[in-house]
Amino acid sequence: MLAGLALAALMALRRLTWVTVLKREDRDGRLHVTISGSLTFLGVPRLTHELRTIPAATVVDLDLNIDFMDNGAFEAIHSWRLDHERMGGTVVIDELHDEWYALAASGARTFPAKSPPKAPDRWWLPWAHRRREVEPVTVSHDGAPECLLTAGAREYHRHTAPLVRPIFTELARKQQPSHLFITCADSRIVPSLITASGPGDLFTVRNIGNLVPRKGSEPHDDSVVAAIEYATQVLGVHTITVCGHSGCGAMAGVLSGGVQAGSLPGLRRWLRHGDHSLATFIETEGDRLHGGALDVLCRVNVQQQLENLRTYRKVDEQVRAGKLELVGLFFDIGSARVHMVPPLRPTLSVKTFDRRMVTSED
């Protein structure tokens, strides 16, 4: 019996210390590193040794194929990552299973519940998930009709306004956003939530399909162009981001040749600005439609809008001069994940990304 217990203890110890680190260099010089096993403090010495053998200033794709990570292991990986990036390297982390690293980096130590949490003070929760239900239409104390929006405004004044007033008092003097963020009008896209940004960070443009009309295109529309001009020439933003999303209804309309726009003439005219996206999609995918065709088009559309931005001379000049970066994002609604999307025409002045998931500090 004692022998059996000893063997079980040895097997448990081996499992807790079992860590494999595989390295593979791509032709483009990127180093792929895969860490597998259960990451505990017992395996930290070997883990640290392996990570320290990675040359400085290397672009590293780090895949975490793990079933557990304790705080000691997280600190080892995180400290190495920070040191590697300080030395001019790049680390892109992709967790193949559960998000141990991302949760630890965000300060969370447990996984989120399977069902949406319920907390009245969480502003990002939809009204449907609040503890205190608000009637769709009520009557306020002054006799005026009240809806969910006005009830939400009252809640904001009670709980949130006192906390953010110092920030807005400072912002009242002027705005200095660093990013122009162009995204879809879809109600499920919350830019500040998926980018962890706050008031004054993003100069935001929203429209059906996150479209950027090409210079001189028809139907003529100045609203997006005006925002681009103001953001780049007055506000001096450093980045323009185009963010698309999965299951985009606008792209479904483009894919159907405008049929799904039905009897909405304004929408049909607007969706013509997506014709170049459809042409690029057909060029790369052919005319075959498959189960994932819509989301492929949604990604291609992001790439095409980055290309459309460069039809404006001032934007193209700033990109070429290295003063402006163009970034593509894709939000997968079902998984609540943000992915980078590479541009169609990479240059030294345009950030080029692969399709990996954005990690907590990328």
Side-chain angles (χ1 to χ4, degrees):
M1 181 176 178
L2 291 176
L5 290 174
L7 180 61
L10 286 173
M11 292 180 65
L13 183 61
R14 181 183 181 279
R15 182 178 181 276
L16 290 174
T17 57
W18 178 73
V19 177
T20 61
V21 181
L22 301 177
K23 302 171 187 174
R24 173 176 55 85
E25 186 172 355
D26 283 354
R27 293 178 181 177
D28 59 1
R30 297 177 76 101
L31 182 65
H32 282 264
V33 179
T34 302
I35 299 176
S36 303
S38 298
L39 300 188
T40 70
F41 69 96
L42 296 173
V44 165
R46 184 183 178 204
L47 181 63
T48 302
H49 170 74
E50 293 288 347
L51 291 175
R52 284 178 178 172
T53 64
I54 296 175
T58 309
V59 178
V60 179
D61 291 323
L62 180 60
D63 292 337
L64 297 180
N65 184 17
I66 60 177
D67 55 18
F68 178 77
M69 175 189 289
D70 69 9
N71 189 65
F74 165 75
E75 292 294 342
I77 295 176
H78 193 58
S79 297
W80 166 80
R81 178 187 186 179
L82 295 178
D83 290 340
H84 189 75
E85 291 178 340
R86 288 192 195 101
M87 297 297 291
T90 302
V91 181
V92 179
I93 295 180
D94 189 13
E95 302 190 70
L96 305 183
H97 301 296
D98 295 322
E99 296 178 312
W100 293 97
Y101 181 89
L103 288 169
S106 66
R109 290 291 185 268
T110 57
F111 290 108
K114 296 295 183 182
S115 58
K118 294 184 178 181
D121 58 340
R122 298 303 177 95
W123 60 268
W124 43 267
L125 283 176
W127 286 317
H129 294 294
R130 304 288 179 90
R131 275 185 187 153
R132 182 177 57 81
E133 296 183 359
V134 181
E135 293 295 329
V137 178
T138 59
V139 178
S140 63
H141 65 278
D142 59 0
E146 186 174 76
C147 63
L148 288 171
L149 278 174
T150 55
R154 286 194 295 106
E155 184 176 329
Y156 159 78
H157 285 133
R158 283 198 308 269
H159 300 294
T160 308
L163 301 176
V164 300
R165 187 168 290 116
I167 297 174
F168 280 101
T169 298
E170 182 178 349
L171 288 173
R173 301 185 184 96
K174 63 177 180 179
Q175 63 166 325
Q176 290 182 305
S178 55
H179 289 65
L180 168 58
F181 196 84
I182 302 173
T183 192
C184 188
D186 192 292
S187 62
R188 297 165 295 180
I189 312 303
V190 185
S192 59
L193 182 65
I194 65 174
T195 62
S197 54
D201 290 333
L202 305 180
F203 188 69
T204 306
V205 174
R206 305 189 69 149
N207 62 52
I208 302 294
N210 44 271
L211 297 173
V212 177
R214 296 170 65 88
K215 183 175 176 60
S217 63
E218 294 292 340
H220 186 68
D221 181 275
D222 277 337
S223 61
V224 179
V225 179
I228 294 170
E229 291 176 346
Y230 190 76
T232 56
Q233 298 176 46
V234 178
L235 297 176
V237 299
H238 306 304
T239 306
I240 301 179
T241 298
V242 177
C243 180
H245 65 94
S246 59
C248 181
M251 290 303 101
V254 170
L255 200 59
S256 71
V259 173
Q260 290 196 16
S263 60
L264 305 175
L267 180 58
R268 285 203 307 273
R269 286 193 298 270
W270 174 251
L271 290 183
R272 291 176 194 165
H273 293 300
D275 288 347
H276 286 87
S277 298
L278 182 60
T280 302
F281 169 81
I282 293 173
E283 181 181 341
T284 56
E285 296 289 311
D287 57 2
R288 62 186 181 87
L289 293 181
H290 49 82
L294 176 57
D295 281 357
V296 172
L297 176 58
C298 292
R299 288 176 179 266
V300 169
N301 181 57
V302 171
Q303 296 176 308
Q304 185 60 56
Q305 304 320 304
L306 294 176
E307 193 77 2
N308 291 355
L309 281 165
R310 301 190 67 182
T311 64
Y312 297 96
R313 182 174 58 84
K314 292 285 189 181
V315 171
D316 191 57
E317 288 176 353
Q318 290 187 37
V319 170
R320 292 181 182 277
K323 298 178 180 179
L324 184 66
E325 294 174 333
L326 305 184
V327 176
L329 294 182
F330 176 82
F331 181 55
D332 188 314
I333 295 175
S335 65
R337 295 174 185 259
V338 180
H339 300 260
M340 293 290 191
V341 178
L344 289 172
R345 178 168 51 125
T347 71
L348 293 177
S349 300
V350 181
K351 278 191 175 179
T352 57
F353 300 98
D354 59 18
R355 292 176 183 266
R356 305 179 73 82
M357 183 185 72
V358 180
T359 56
S360 59
E361 294 188 6
D362 288 337

